[in-house]
Amino acid sequence: MVKLNNDWDELLKSEFSQTYYLQLREFLINAYRTKDIYPAMCDIFNAFKYTSYQETKVVILGQDPYINQGEAHGLAFSVLPNIKVPPSLHNIFQELVSDCGCTIPRHGCLIGWTHQGVLLLNSILTVERGKSRAHAGRGWEIFTDAVLRRINQKNEPVVFLLWGRDAQTKGNFLNNPRHLVLTAAHPSPLAGGKFFGCRHFSQTNDFFAMHGVPGIQWQITDTIPR
């Protein structure tokens, strides 16, 4: 039984009993026994553990976890402090520099964002070592659709940042006029730099300012968050 220790437990309870999810669970049990799968099984749902439904005000949606050992820890685009910053995250930091005047931090841990209501979510929550999108079509897309539909129902303004083709397909049902949906290329170098100039971070805070809501402090501090 998945235990998230916040309001997501009740909101997702029915999803965890659906046939597709039970089949996904069996697939994952076998995959973790026989292959190198990321993140660690105990970290799969970290995005929900760190950011409750009630607190969610920004959703950053990517594709699937990092494919190299030690990088993925259940928060999209984030790595633990002792891990080298991957190219996608480096590009995110470069955009933060040009968009918001941030400085590039000494680490790539984005937990500080989660404390401000940023849900760091991937469309697919697990991956096989070295094989991007290896777990596509196994059921995760159905699960994350359900999550986003729930967030779309919120009365408070939410900003959805959809990065990459997989993430952008989710925009079809994010139709609540209270919210803002922004799309951009994936920050991966494979996108040929098309992510740069999207200005999603400043646009997010401009939107919140229009609604009298505190913005996100995007600067990652060198102090390691918990």
Side-chain angles (χ1 to χ4, degrees):
M1 172 66 96
V2 176
K3 193 69 175 171
L4 305 173
N5 296 316
N6 57 34
D7 51 9
W8 283 116
D9 282 318
E10 185 62 30
L11 290 168
L12 296 177
K13 181 171 62 175
S14 62
E15 212 62 34
F16 290 131
S17 64
Q18 297 291 325
T19 299
Y20 85 86
Y21 183 82
L22 297 176
Q23 292 173 343
L24 170 62
R25 184 175 180 274
E26 289 303 311
F27 164 77
L28 290 174
I29 289 171
N30 181 66
Y32 274 94
R33 285 173 178 166
T34 59
K35 300 174 182 178
D36 291 330
I37 306 299
Y38 306 136
M41 190 177 288
C42 62
D43 290 335
I44 292 174
F45 295 101
N46 273 354
F48 305 98
K49 294 176 182 177
Y50 278 97
T51 309
S52 71
Y53 176 82
Q54 183 178 2
E55 293 169 339
T56 297
K57 57 192 289 188
V58 177
V59 179
I60 294 181
L61 187 66
Q63 179 178 284
D64 58 355
Y66 292 125
I67 60 174
N68 298 316
Q69 185 176 13
E71 291 182 343
H73 70 116
L75 301 177
F77 299 107
S78 178
V79 293
L80 292 173
N82 59 331
I83 301 298
K84 181 181 178 181
V85 172
S88 292
L89 184 54
H90 177 75
N91 285 347
I92 291 170
F93 288 159
Q94 292 283 7
E95 177 63 17
L96 280 165
V97 170
S98 62
D99 186 22
C100 301
C102 295
T103 58
I104 295 179
R106 298 179 181 177
H107 62 85
C109 185
L110 305 181
I111 288 176
W113 288 356
T114 72
H115 293 165
Q116 302 179 69
V118 180
L119 183 70
L120 295 171
L121 186 66
N122 280 311
S123 298
I124 304 163
L125 300 190
T126 56
V127 73
E128 184 178 341
R129 180 177 184 174
K131 297 182 179 181
S132 181
R133 299 189 83 255
H135 290 178
R138 292 290 183 173
W140 280 129
E141 296 93 337
I142 302 173
F143 178 81
T144 50
D145 278 1
V147 169
L148 293 171
R149 289 181 194 276
R150 283 282 189 178
I151 298 172
N152 186 57
Q153 295 171 0
K154 292 189 69 160
N155 291 322
E156 303 81 10
V158 176
V159 179
F160 296 88
L161 307 182
L162 311 183
W163 295 347
R165 189 177 306 168
D166 281 14
Q168 289 171 25
T169 62
K170 309 283 194 182
N172 296 332
F173 52 79
L174 299 176
N175 54 9
N176 188 330
R178 294 183 176 89
H179 307 325
L180 175 66
V181 179
L182 300 174
T183 63
H186 196 280
S188 167
L190 297 176
K194 294 179 181 178
F195 175 77
F196 295 126
C198 69
R199 300 187 64 248
H200 279 190
F201 304 105
S202 62
Q203 288 187 71
T204 294
N205 282 351
D206 289 346
F207 175 77
F208 286 138
M210 288 172 53
H211 290 81
V213 176
I216 305 298
Q217 296 295 325
W218 292 114
Q219 177 67 59
I220 300 296
T221 65
D222 288 335
T223 303
I224 307 302
R226 293 180 177 271

